[in-house]
Amino acid sequence: MDLGIAGKRALVCASSKGLGKGCAMALAEAGVTLVLNARGADALEATAEEIRAAHGVEVTTVAADITTEEGRAKVLDASGQLDILVNNAGGPPPGFWTDWEHDDFIKALEANMLTPIALMKAQLPGMIDKGWGRVVNITSASVRSPIAQLGLSNSARAGLTGYVAGTSRQVAKFGVTINNLLPGLHDTDRAVSLAEAAAKREGITVEEAAKARDSANPTGRIGTAAEFGATCAFMCSVHAGFMVGQNVLLDGGAFNSTT
Ligand code: NAP
């Protein structure tokens, strides 16, 4: 399927690895010009080179912490006016409800709620003027089915989800769509470290921990960054103009629900 977005300009935040990289790769395959961001310059440049070599698109890199005002200013400066914005950042650490103080919540809200809102606020007016735009926020399956030890993430992502629910309906008539993409467990560095932690906790090998994790999913496996990226690219395509304010869950059916 031709996604109809060749030549469009996209920013993919937090994209040197994992799900962000998967989204960048799929958008590049569709012919989109990219601005990529991550804190570490080396991995970011390596990913940019890999994407240029694979798809021949123009890729600009900005090494910066997207969760800071200074980092966002650098990224926005290099971006100019975008057609497509994919919001992403690392998730807050796990813990127990008694661990989290005011400042921990502020940090989580800054990273996973206020950062994507600030980037949308900066880019939506230009998209509205052009009469076309796509925003995809990478959130988490925990928005639908909370993970108790991720209370900071649950809280911040719920806030973003509420913002998107309203704002997406205010901008839809201008040809601009905002949706969230909710990953269940995917095969990124995070999945490896979770399997390592489970192996240590349960006194089993990492392979055994990964096998137990995989068999708990209806598909018998975890997702890939390429599958995740392809879904993101479709949500950014010309075909997805009637998809507004949705929370698209990509978890292999792990969340057991009829709706
Ligand atoms: P990942 O493989 O660890 O990759 C994270 C990427 O984000 C890296 O490129 C990293 O590069 C960059 N990054 C992290 N913090 C950043 C910051 N403050 N500013 C700029 N770039 C930053 O992570 P992932 O698995 O793709 O997860 C992406 C998001 O999805 C996270 O919020 C995670 O909580 C959520 N999620 C993931 C899964 C999963 O199974 N993978 C499931 C549910 C939710 P640098 O470190 O160099 O900055």
Side-chain angles (χ1 to χ4, degrees):
M1 183 192 286
D2 178 0
L3 297 184
I5 49 177
K8 300 273 189 203
R9 186 171 179 81
L11 164 63
V12 186
C13 302
S15 52
S16 65
K17 295 180 193 163
L19 302 179
K21 180 179 174 183
C23 295
M25 196 56 97
L27 288 169
E29 191 179 350
V32 173
T33 300
L34 293 174
V35 181
L36 302 188
N37 152 259
R39 292 164 302 182
D42 291 350
L44 181 62
E45 201 40 57
T47 292
E49 205 37 57
E50 190 184 333
I51 292 175
R52 287 182 198 113
H55 300 298
V57 294
E58 189 189 320
V59 183
T60 303
T61 56
V62 188
D65 184 339
I66 198 68
T67 68
T68 66
E69 205 174 330
E70 193 194 356
R72 284 192 295 277
K74 252 175 100 175
V75 170
L76 285 170
D77 193 42
S79 296
Q81 181 56 53
L82 300 164
D83 305 295
I84 296 167
L85 167 63
V86 180
N87 279 312
N88 185 31
F96 197 70
W97 66 272
T98 49
D99 299 336
W100 303 316
E101 302 298 342
H102 182 89
D103 285 353
D104 300 308
F105 281 101
I106 296 296
K107 208 169 161 206
L109 293 173
E110 279 287 354
N112 298 108
M113 177 186 172
L114 299 176
T115 290
I117 289 175
L119 294 172
M120 281 186 261
K121 191 122 191 288
Q123 289 291 332
L124 286 174
M127 292 180 179
I128 289 168
D129 282 350
K130 286 207 265 184
W132 199 92
R134 297 282 183 266
V135 180
V136 174
N137 300 297
I138 299 178
T139 63
S140 172
S142 65
V143 169
R144 293 285 305 281
S145 177
I147 301 168
Q149 66 273 25
L150 294 181
L152 292 173
S153 169
N154 296 336
S155 305
R157 297 191 197 281
L160 175 63
T161 304
Y163 174 86
V164 167
T167 307
S168 61
R169 282 150 174 109
Q170 292 180 322
V171 302
K173 63 171 160 298
F174 303 108
V176 179
T177 70
I178 313 176
N179 293 285
N180 303 320
L181 185 49
L182 284 54
L185 206 51
H186 280 71
D187 190 9
T188 68
D189 286 357
R190 187 170 165 275
V192 176
S193 59
L194 284 175
E196 284 168 354
K200 206 170 160 192
R201 205 171 48 239
E202 289 158 35
I204 55 177
T205 66
V206 176
E207 290 69 31
E208 286 166 338
K211 205 169 161 200
R213 172 201 68 198
D214 291 357
S215 63
N217 189 285
T219 60
R221 64 181 180 89
I222 59 175
T224 68
E227 289 170 314
F228 190 86
T231 306
C232 176
F234 174 76
M235 291 166 74
C236 296
S237 76
V238 293
H239 310 296
F242 207 53
M243 183 190 284
V244 170
Q246 298 303 299
N247 289 286
V248 176
L249 180 62
L250 217 53
D251 72 343
F255 178 50
N256 196 30
S257 162
T258 47
T259 59

